């Protein structure tokens, strides 16, 4: 008898985070015949996923609440019963955190596989028969090898097929990306296991978009895709500074570049620097790989993408200090937006973290508003960053503002860091009256509209634009 099931009927996903939650919800929606169990060690997170109030789901993602409403309790379940679900499942997705290592060999660059390893040991311990293990978390190249070794070394009776199936969803449009992916990548050597995974996706994804590769190609494709995307952002951000010097307008330049079919229009929006859990981590990992394989020129090349990203954040905070007469002491700055991009409550690696810390270090008093980010999240981001850099201690020089007006009241400056829709429609004529004078608007996301500013006396600076930069 074949060790493989005829088709997959029960899936377990370890890790109920930004990747695991939405991905499994979309699989459950498109595969009503498959039971999908998402498990996590974080009890609070699981309670959030099971909350009857869909506004309390642990992550905010447009359209996610509807998919959860349609599937939860039918064929989608969230629990902390890790061992039980491992035992009962034919296929296990690994969607656990894979941060950058902070100590030991490869510290600051390589991916920390601690959580992946723990899961592999759990799977080896509790699985029954033959299990397909699918790595979905961003992992280091050759992780599949590590996984296979641990699984086989810790389990005599059972067998495993390890596949790589990297996730390409982008936060803020995760449901749409999952429902209509550009491609689904399945890397592996075991053809039968690959076909079983392919069958799941084929329920809603056109078969010609499901690409089978060897396992290393699949792992490296994920790192490289993210590195290429990040590289485009650093490229356009570097040109934004040149625009400010020369009189070119970055949005016009982006549009012209993007009109070239060979380049395409996506990922050419200048901003305060890319954030999110993937780009920096993946580039650091790529840099580490290149160093490891003695390719110093290649590693330097990719490292520069990060250098420009950090430079962009620091140059924005420096510019604000200059415009506000060289000091921020005793000045109030309203920060609009803290998430790393609009339509997500995720703040990991958000440009706002470094920029705000720079401003606080200069003595500013910050009032931070974000429609979806909670106060304690901001607190944690500041603490983490300070621990990493061993920098100064923040006392009470920042406050959380529940609404835009509270943040802006008496402010000397407003700094827009995330492109939330509600910031686009702000009528600056109204806001001018409640701000301190002379007041500045610093727009790093090009969301302010000319018509809402033209009748005001506010000083205005927009990233990548000379007319306003010289106000
Ligand atoms: C990224 C990849 O896009 C996705 O394929 C992968 O699976 C995970 O990493 P994500 O980090 O969720 O997704 O968001 P993305 O839309 O890529 O944005 C990342 C950062 O780049 C954000 O801070 C965003 O504001 C910034 N960005 C993006 C720009 O500054 N300009 C752009 O033109 C695009
Ligand atoms: P991502 O953006 O990659 O989804 P998150 O941090 O949002 O990352 O989610 C990863 C999830 O994995 C967290 O909720 C974490 O609690 C969970 N996790 C980590 N290790 C384990 C483990 N050994 N068993 C179960 N869940 C785990």
């Amino acid at each position: 008898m074949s060790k493989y099931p005829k088709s997959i009927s029960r899936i377990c996903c370890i890790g109920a985070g930004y990747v695991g939650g939405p991905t499994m919800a979309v699989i459950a929606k498109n595969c009503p015949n498959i039971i999908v169990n998402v498990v996590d060690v974080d009890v609070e997170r699981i309670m959030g996923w099971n909350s009857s109030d869909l506004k309390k789901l642990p992550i905010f993602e447009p359209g996610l609440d509807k998919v959860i409403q349609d599937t939860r309790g039918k064929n989608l379940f969230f629990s902390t019963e890790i061992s039980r679900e491992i035992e009962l499942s034919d296929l296990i997705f690994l969607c656990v955190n894979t941060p950058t290592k902070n100590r030991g060999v490869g510290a600051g660059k390589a991916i920390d596989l601690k959580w992946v390893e723990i899961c592999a040991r759990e799977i080896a311990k509790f699985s029954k028969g033959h299990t397909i293990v699918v790595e979905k978390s961003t992992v280091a190249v050759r992780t599949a090898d590590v996984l296979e070794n641990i699984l086989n070394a810790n389990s005599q009776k059972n067998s495993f097929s390890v596949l790589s199936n990297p996730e390409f969803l982008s936060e803020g449009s995760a449901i749409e990306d999952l429902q209509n992916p550009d491609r689904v990548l399945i890397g592996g050597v075991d053809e039968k296991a690959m076909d079983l995974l392919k069958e799941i996706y084929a329920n809603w994804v056109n078969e010609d978009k499901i690409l089978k590769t060897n396992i290393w190609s699949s792992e490296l494709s994920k790192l490289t895709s993210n590195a290429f995307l990040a590289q485009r952002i650093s490229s356009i951000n570097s040109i934004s500074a040149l625009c400010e010097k020369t009189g070119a307008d970055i949005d016009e330049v982006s549009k012209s570049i993007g009109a070239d079919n060979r380049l395409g229009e996506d990922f050419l929006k200048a901003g305060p620097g890319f954030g999110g859990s993937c780009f920096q981590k993946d580039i650091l990992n790529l840099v580490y790989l290149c160093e490891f394989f003695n390719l110093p020129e290649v590693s330097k090349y990719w490292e520069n993408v990060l250098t420009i990203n950090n430079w962009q954040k620091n140059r924005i905070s420096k510019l604000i200090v200059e415009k506000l007469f060289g000091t921020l002491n005793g000045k109030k700055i309203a920060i609009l937006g803290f998430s790393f991009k609009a339509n997500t409550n995720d703040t990991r690696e958000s440009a706002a973290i470094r920029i705000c810390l720079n401003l606080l270090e200069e003595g500013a008093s910050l009032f931070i508003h974000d429609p979806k980010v909670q106060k304690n999240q901001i607190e944690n981001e500041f603490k983490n960053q300070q621990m990493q850099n061993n920098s100064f201690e923040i006392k009470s020089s920042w406050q959380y503002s529940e609404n835009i007006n509270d943040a802006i009241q008496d402010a000397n400056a407003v700094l827009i860091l995330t492109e939330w829709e509600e910031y686009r429609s702000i009528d600056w004529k109204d806001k001018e009256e409640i701000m301190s004078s002379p007041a500045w608007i610093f727009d790093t996301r090009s969301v302010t509209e000319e018509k809402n500013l033209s009748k005001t006396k506010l000083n205005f600076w927009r990233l990548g634009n000379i007319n306003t930069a010289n106000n």
Side-chain angles (χ1 to χ4, degrees):
M1 203 180 89
S2 164
K3 62 182 178 181
Y4 301 98
K6 259 181 99 182
S7 57
I8 301 295
S9 58
R10 194 176 181 106
I11 289 176
C12 166
C13 168
I14 310 185
Y18 283 90
V19 173
T23 309
M24 293 308 123
V26 171
I27 291 183
K29 180 180 155 219
N30 289 291
C31 310
N33 297 328
I34 300 180
I35 303 286
V36 182
N37 282 286
V38 188
V39 294
D40 203 294
V41 281
D42 186 336
V43 179
E44 217 176 296
R45 213 166 210 186
I46 291 299
M47 273 165 59
W49 283 111
N50 284 324
S51 168
S52 53
D53 180 354
L54 291 170
K55 288 200 173 63
K56 294 201 174 131
L57 294 179
I59 70 173
F60 170 73
E61 198 48 73
L64 175 65
D65 48 357
K66 171 84 176 70
V67 184
I68 295 289
Q69 189 175 35
D70 292 347
T71 51
R72 198 178 54 189
K74 293 186 185 128
N75 64 331
L76 176 68
F77 303 90
F78 295 91
S79 80
T80 51
E81 295 192 49
I82 301 173
S83 51
R84 182 185 121 95
E85 295 309 332
I86 290 176
E87 183 184 330
L88 294 175
S89 300
D90 313 311
L91 184 146
I92 299 173
F93 282 104
L94 282 189
C95 294
V96 296
N97 6 5
T98 47
T100 305
K101 270 182 96 169
N102 57 13
R103 58 183 163 167
V105 179
K109 288 195 180 129
I111 286 181
D112 194 340
L113 290 176
K114 183 170 91 184
W115 288 270
V116 172
E117 247 194 85
I118 294 173
C119 289
R121 288 179 203 285
E122 299 268 294
I123 294 171
K125 190 164 163 197
F126 296 110
S127 63
K128 289 259 154 53
H130 186 75
T131 308
I132 301 172
V133 179
V134 184
E135 45 168 49
K136 210 165 216 342
S137 336
T138 303
V139 290
V141 176
R142 306 198 86 95
T143 301
D145 242 0
V146 177
L147 263 176
E148 210 147 353
N149 273 333
I150 300 175
L151 289 169
N152 290 326
N154 288 281
S155 176
Q156 276 76 44
K157 281 187 274 162
N158 304 312
S159 57
F160 307 92
S161 304
V162 177
L163 303 179
S164 159
N165 172 222
E167 188 45 70
F168 292 105
L169 69 81
S170 178
E171 286 174 34
S173 55
I175 300 300
E176 173 59 27
D177 296 346
L178 287 160
Q179 190 61 40
N180 298 302
D182 288 342
R183 78 309 209 177
V184 170
L185 217 54
I186 300 179
V189 282
D190 180 342
E191 282 290 330
K192 179 69 193 158
M194 288 163 87
D195 284 342
L196 285 167
L197 180 57
K198 184 175 171 181
E199 236 173 59
I200 297 176
Y201 285 107
N203 279 302
W204 77 99
V205 181
N206 210 316
E207 294 216 15
D208 57 12
K209 287 192 172 172
I210 308 178
L211 313 179
K212 287 194 200 165
T213 66
N214 80 37
I215 204 148
W216 321 126
S217 303
S218 165
E219 289 180 339
L220 191 59
S221 299
K222 165 78 186 207
L223 285 191
T224 318
S225 293
N226 279 345
F228 273 50
L229 290 169
Q231 181 201 39
R232 270 171 83 96
I233 302 170
S234 277
S235 298
I236 203 70
N237 283 345
S238 72
I239 301 303
S240 71
L242 193 58
C243 287
E244 288 162 27
K245 301 279 183 205
T246 58
D249 180 320
I250 195 64
D251 289 336
E252 291 177 358
V253 174
S254 295
K255 200 169 167 190
S256 313
I257 299 173
D260 186 327
N261 260 332
R262 292 166 303 175
L263 291 164
E265 61 184 19
D266 293 336
F267 275 74
L268 285 177
K269 185 96 194 109
F274 56 76
S277 71
C278 283
F279 284 177
Q280 175 168 309
K281 176 179 76 174
D282 288 357
I283 292 178
L284 285 169
N285 192 22
L286 191 59
V287 166
Y288 178 70
L289 266 179
C290 297
E291 284 172 0
F292 183 82
F293 290 110
N294 199 22
L295 297 167
E297 289 79 8
V298 187
S299 92
K300 197 91 212 124
Y301 175 77
W302 288 108
E303 200 161 25
N304 275 327
V305 172
L306 291 178
T307 306
I308 290 287
N309 200 46
N310 291 329
W311 167 81
Q312 181 80 339
K313 297 181 233 176
N314 290 331
R315 96 177 173 86
I316 290 169
S317 39
K318 256 194 218 143
L319 182 138
I320 294 172
V321 177
E322 275 164 29
K323 296 284 181 202
L324 297 186
F325 311 114
T327 178
L328 300 185
N329 261 324
K331 290 182 182 155
K332 172 175 173 178
I333 302 181
I335 304 291
L336 298 190
F338 200 85
S339 57
F340 79 98
K341 63 187 279 196
N343 291 322
T344 176
N345 61 344
D346 194 350
T347 53
R348 288 176 290 179
E349 304 297 340
S350 175
I353 304 167
R354 174 59 20 227
I355 295 174
C356 287
L357 284 173
N358 285 348
L359 299 176
L360 287 167
E361 227 156 354
E362 288 287 341
S365 158
L366 302 185
F367 284 66
I368 305 175
H369 173 267
D370 189 290
K372 292 290 173 200
V373 174
Q374 307 293 323
K375 183 179 179 189
N376 65 336
Q377 243 177 296
I378 302 177
E379 242 155 31
N380 289 339
E381 293 291 7
F382 284 158
K383 271 192 209 138
N384 288 342
Q385 189 64 235
Q386 286 170 304
M387 264 174 8
Q388 275 170 31
N389 297 339
N390 236 340
S391 54
F392 76 111
E393 191 189 334
I394 298 179
K395 297 204 178 79
S396 54
S397 36
W398 72 275
Q399 287 187 36
Y400 181 75
S401 300
E402 294 284 348
N403 64 59
I404 298 176
N405 269 5
D406 284 356
I408 289 181
Q409 180 80 43
D410 300 323
N412 300 85
V414 172
L415 169 59
I416 303 172
L417 290 176
T418 313
E419 71 283 22
W420 284 104
E421 203 50 42
E422 61 190 276
Y423 299 153
R424 287 181 201 276
S425 52
I426 294 177
D427 182 348
W428 291 102
K429 185 79 197 138
D430 286 355
K431 304 299 175 215
E432 184 179 19
E433 285 164 24
I434 60 170
M435 288 182 75
S436 184
S437 187
W440 274 91
I441 311 295
F442 297 97
D443 180 1
T444 67
R445 295 281 193 174
S446 264
V447 294
T448 39
E449 293 191 8
E450 206 59 39
K451 67 175 188 329
N452 291 330
L453 270 161
S454 54
K455 292 198 185 85
T456 74
K457 292 200 184 66
L458 292 164
N459 295 300
F460 177 58
W461 175 87
R462 179 162 67 83
L463 187 92
N465 189 297
I466 197 172
N467 300 322
T468 50
N470 279 355
N471 251 352

